[in-house]
């Protein structure tokens, strides 16, 4: 039975991944700052840890044990990555962490893993570190310096009923309130991953000891116009849409160009991808029904 440490794992798809690991009989320890209740009753061990603080006392409890695998949902930048190497280097066989579609730069009709190579990426210490740059730097440090095996999960926007950011919820809410939705480009394509599918991919990679970078998304992508059509179908009403060249705020799925992943690599390795319509339409309908019942 593998002994697995999860850094962050009490919210959204991290929580789903922990539950899957428990269902499969793994010995799971969850490390969090301790600010929120642990939702797994007495089924997991808990370490109170601020993983961004190399001097935090919780690291002593982490280093006191050997781990078959670590899944890290809270590594955001080069500093975090350096701490992981320092603290886990002698206790770990394989490290898996959440990266992002945001590692990719430029306009392309479907990013593949080779479009960002952490082995050749040079960190510019003067560059502003936003979310995407933080993930690029974290990958660069981990893949070039870690003494353990590394796997990076490059996710697009993750959606589900329990998405605490409520991004899809916001579009459903606008549609039901007959408010205008704004996008820059009706033909720009996008894809997503369902929270449960993200969790399944994490556990699949751990079980199969997959190493390297993996895009994990729906098999297909849709235009913003198709997204609106599906939302109209699920709400049963015509939606007001403003396709504009102006700068847009409050539209979290908006970009001026394509913004989606090609996930053929993980599919060819044996992981089953979902088609968007199979889960995004039902999810929209669930949200519609929930909001109308309120």
């Amino acid at each position: 039975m593998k002994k697995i440490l999860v850094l962050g794992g009490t919210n959204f798809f991290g929580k789903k991944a922990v539950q899957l690991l428990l269902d499969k009989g793994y010995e799971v320890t969850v490390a969090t700052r301790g600010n929120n209740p642990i939702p797994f009753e007495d089924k997991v061990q808990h370490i109170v840890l601020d993983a961004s603080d190399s001097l935090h006392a919780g690291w002593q409890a982490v280093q006191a044990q050997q781990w078959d695998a670590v899944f890290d949902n809270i590594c955001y930048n080069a500093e975090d990555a350096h701490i992981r190497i320092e603290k886990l280097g002698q206790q770990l066989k394989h490290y898996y962490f959440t990266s992002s579609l945001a590692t990719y730069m430029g306009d392309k009709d479907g990013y593949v893993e080779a479009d960002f190579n952490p082995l050749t990426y040079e960190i510019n210490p003067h560059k502003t570190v936003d979310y995407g740059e933080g993930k690029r730097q974290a990958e660069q440090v981990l893949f070039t310096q870690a003494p353990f095996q590394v796997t990076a999960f490059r996710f697009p926007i993750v959606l589900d009923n329990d998405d605490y950011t409520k991004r899809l919820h916001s579009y459903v809410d606008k549609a039901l309130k007959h408010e205008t939705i704004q996008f820059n480009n009706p033909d720009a394509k996008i894809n997503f991953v369902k929270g449960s599918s993200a969790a399944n991919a994490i556990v699949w990679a751990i079980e199969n000891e997959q190493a390297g970078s993996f895009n994990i998304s729906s098999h297909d992508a849709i235009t913003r116009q198709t997204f609106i059509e599906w939302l109209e179908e699920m709400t049963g009403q015509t939606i007001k849409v403003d396709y504009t060249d102006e700068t847009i705020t409050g539209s979290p799925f908006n970009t001026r160009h394509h913004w989606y992943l090609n996930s053929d690599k993980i599919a060819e390795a044996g992981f089953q991808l979902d088609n968007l319509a199979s889960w995004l339409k039902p999810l929209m309908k669930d949200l519609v029904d929930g909001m109308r019942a309120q």
Side-chain angles (χ1 to χ4, degrees):
M1 178 173 61
K2 285 187 177 180
K3 190 173 181 180
I4 299 175
L5 172 67
V6 178
L7 303 180
T10 59
N11 202 3
F12 201 23
F13 65 90
K15 177 181 174 181
K16 296 177 191 292
V18 171
Q19 188 59 59
L20 279 174
L21 290 167
L22 291 173
D23 292 344
K24 289 175 175 287
Y26 292 108
E27 182 182 342
V28 182
T29 297
V30 174
T32 74
R33 293 182 179 182
N35 297 328
N36 298 311
I38 304 301
F40 308 106
E41 299 178 349
D42 58 351
K43 296 179 181 179
V44 301
Q45 300 295 315
H46 180 221
I47 295 173
V48 177
L49 172 69
D50 182 348
S52 64
D53 180 0
S54 65
L55 300 178
H56 194 273
W59 284 116
Q60 297 176 19
V62 170
Q63 292 181 305
Q65 302 182 58
Q66 295 288 324
W67 306 100
D68 294 300
V70 167
F71 168 56
D72 189 349
N73 206 23
I74 51 174
C75 181
Y76 295 112
N77 50 48
E79 290 74 17
D80 287 345
H82 281 297
I83 291 172
R84 305 313 192 259
I85 293 171
E86 174 192 351
K87 301 301 182 181
L88 298 170
Q90 304 305 314
Q91 284 75 35
L92 180 60
K93 295 180 181 178
H94 201 136
Y95 174 89
Y96 304 81
F97 85 109
T98 299
S99 188
S100 173
L101 163 63
T103 58
Y104 298 109
M105 296 174 284
D107 182 2
K108 185 177 180 183
D109 194 357
Y111 300 103
V112 297
E113 287 83 356
D115 291 327
F116 173 69
N117 185 353
L119 300 179
T120 59
Y121 186 68
E122 295 185 6
I123 295 177
N124 180 350
H126 305 294
K127 189 172 186 177
T128 299
V129 181
D130 57 13
Y131 180 76
E133 177 61 18
K135 290 295 187 181
R136 286 188 285 272
Q137 292 187 9
E139 284 203 30
Q140 194 271 358
V141 170
L142 288 160
F143 279 110
T144 61
Q145 300 181 34
F148 38 73
Q149 287 269 56
V150 176
T151 303
F153 303 116
R154 295 176 183 165
F155 293 117
I157 294 174
V158 185
L159 299 175
D160 220 326
N161 300 75
D162 55 344
D163 173 15
Y164 61 93
T165 68
K166 297 189 179 300
R167 287 162 290 191
L168 180 58
H169 298 59
S170 70
Y171 287 103
V172 173
D173 186 57
K174 281 182 177 291
L176 294 178
K177 291 179 178 177
H178 305 286
E179 296 178 1
T180 299
I181 292 175
Q182 289 188 310
F183 286 124
N184 285 131
N185 184 353
D187 298 318
K189 289 184 282 188
I190 190 170
N191 66 1
F192 309 95
V193 65
K194 197 169 191 286
S196 55
S197 184
N200 282 326
I202 292 163
V203 175
W204 174 87
I206 291 172
E207 289 191 309
N208 291 279
E209 299 183 348
Q210 296 289 317
S213 300
F214 288 95
N215 291 345
I216 303 171
S217 67
S218 57
H219 181 72
D220 53 340
I222 57 172
T223 65
R224 301 316 198 279
Q225 185 171 354
T226 297
F227 173 80
I228 292 296
E229 291 170 357
W230 288 5
L231 192 55
E232 288 182 325
E233 181 183 348
M234 294 302 105
T235 58
Q237 56 189 284
T238 301
I239 296 173
K240 295 183 288 185
V241 188
D242 177 21
Y243 294 110
T244 176
D245 288 331
E246 301 298 321
T247 299
I248 293 172
T249 59
S251 185
F253 297 168
N254 181 63
T255 57
R256 293 182 181 272
H257 53 77
H258 299 307
W259 190 239
Y260 74 96
L261 297 173
N262 178 321
S263 297
D264 287 350
K265 178 182 175 182
I266 197 169
E268 291 169 0
F271 182 74
Q272 182 67 45
L273 300 176
D274 300 319
N275 288 321
L276 270 174
S278 69
W279 64 268
L280 184 53
K281 283 186 174 184
L283 177 57
M284 287 176 174
K285 187 62 166 58
D286 285 347
L287 297 180
V288 168
D289 291 344
M291 290 182 189
R292 282 177 169 160
Q294 290 177 356

